[in-house]
């Protein structure tokens, strides 16, 4: 059982949609001329973001998913990153965009980036919807970031607290009421 909490809206659905549009046009410019962009979503938190992002991308896109363990069901990063589900496709010699929901300590993104780089893609860039720079323990920065946020535990737009609240259309912060 989790402690009782309420969710205070932090970033509205409208603000997210506008930012996703801007990010997509930056990505289009950066990858202009690609024959195919392999968009790799990190499960499960990126599933809403990747869905909105790829629909704004006017590029030839392939979508694949990777699942890495991180928080489990709690609020603390486990630091040890394990790959629970690997990509279905090959990325050697391809253009790749890794889509992450939040960069927090940085362990997940840095682990995934070094794993995927070892497969020798032609180009690998990263995008994170949210970044909590004050929490960073490993030096890593996504190529594109949607929003920098303070050290708050957030949910919604695909992001969960113990598997709940992924379906909220906005990003909200968890506030305990006990
Ligand atoms: P990192 O390895 O510490 O950077 O953690 C990244 C992962 O932790 C993210 O992909 C999220 O799944 C999870 N995470 C980090 N901060 C939050 C949060 O505020 N709410 C929910 N999940 C989070």
């Amino acid at each position: 059982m989790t402690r009782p909490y309420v969710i205070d809206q932090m970033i509205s659905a409208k603000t997210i949609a506008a930012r996703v549009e801007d990010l997509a046009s930056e990505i289009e410019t950066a990858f202009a001329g690609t024959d195919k962009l392999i968009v790799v979503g990190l499960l499960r938190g990126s599933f809403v973001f990747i869905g909105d992002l790829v629909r704004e991308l006017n590029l030839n896109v392939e979508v694949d998913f990777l699942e890495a363990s991180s928080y489990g069901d709690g609020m603390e990063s486990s630091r040890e990153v394990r790959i629970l589900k690997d990509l279905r496709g090959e990325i050697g010699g391809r253009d790749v965009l890794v889509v992450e929901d939040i960069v927090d300590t940085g362990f997940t993104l840095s682990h995934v980036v070094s794993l995927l780089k070892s497969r020798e893609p032609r180009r690998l860039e990263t995008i994170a919807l949210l970044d909590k720079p004050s929490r960073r323990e490993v030096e890593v920065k996504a190529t594109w970031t949607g929003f920098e946020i303070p050290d708050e535990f957030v949910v919604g737009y695909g992001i969960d607290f113990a598997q709940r609240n992924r379906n909220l259309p906005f990003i909200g912060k968890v506030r305990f009421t006990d």
Side-chain angles (χ1 to χ4, degrees):
M1 273 297 285
T2 48
R3 293 160 58 196
Y5 63 93
V6 293
I7 297 163
D8 300 323
Q9 181 169 302
M10 188 187 239
I11 309 169
S12 72
K14 209 173 151 194
T15 304
I16 297 170
R19 185 72 184 122
V20 170
E21 239 183 80
D22 289 348
L23 291 165
S25 69
E26 287 180 35
I27 292 164
E28 266 175 30
T29 307
F31 284 102
T34 186
D35 55 332
K36 181 168 74 178
L37 178 64
I38 303 180
V39 181
V40 173
L42 300 195
L43 291 172
R44 286 173 254 177
S46 72
F47 82 101
V48 175
F49 183 35
I50 197 174
D52 282 350
L53 188 67
V54 295
R55 284 181 294 171
E56 295 291 338
L57 283 179
N58 192 15
L59 295 171
N60 184 21
V61 156
E62 186 175 304
V63 175
D64 206 339
F65 292 98
L66 187 93
E67 186 170 13
S69 67
S70 55
Y71 270 40
D73 275 352
M75 284 178 123
E76 272 308 307
S77 174
S78 61
R79 283 168 185 81
E80 188 204 44
V81 181
R82 285 177 306 126
I83 300 301
L84 303 177
K85 183 209 167 291
D86 206 340
L87 299 177
R88 290 288 293 270
E90 305 289 330
I91 58 163
R94 317 303 319 210
D95 291 326
V96 177
L97 176 69
V98 176
V99 182
E100 169 71 304
D101 56 351
I102 309 181
V103 185
D104 185 50
T105 61
F107 282 103
T108 307
L109 191 61
S110 72
H111 182 90
V112 167
V113 164
S114 40
L115 172 74
L116 297 185
K117 278 195 172 160
S118 73
R119 298 177 188 177
E120 303 184 336
R122 175 164 51 202
R123 179 170 176 194
L124 185 143
E125 305 292 349
T126 54
I127 181 166
L129 178 69
L130 304 175
D131 189 357
K132 295 191 217 170
S134 64
R135 296 258 311 161
R136 199 71 88 255
E137 293 181 31
V138 178
E139 207 178 310
V140 62
K141 185 145 181 57
T143 317
W144 294 280
T145 297
F147 305 91
E148 282 198 2
I149 59 167
D151 181 10
E152 301 279 0
F153 197 84
V154 295
V155 292
Y157 198 70
I159 300 164
D160 74 303
F161 176 30
Q163 302 308 325
R164 291 188 292 185
N165 311 123
R166 291 192 197 273
N167 56 321
L168 293 174
F170 58 86
I171 301 282
K173 60 181 174 188
V174 168
R175 179 163 53 86
F176 292 103
T177 52
D178 58 358

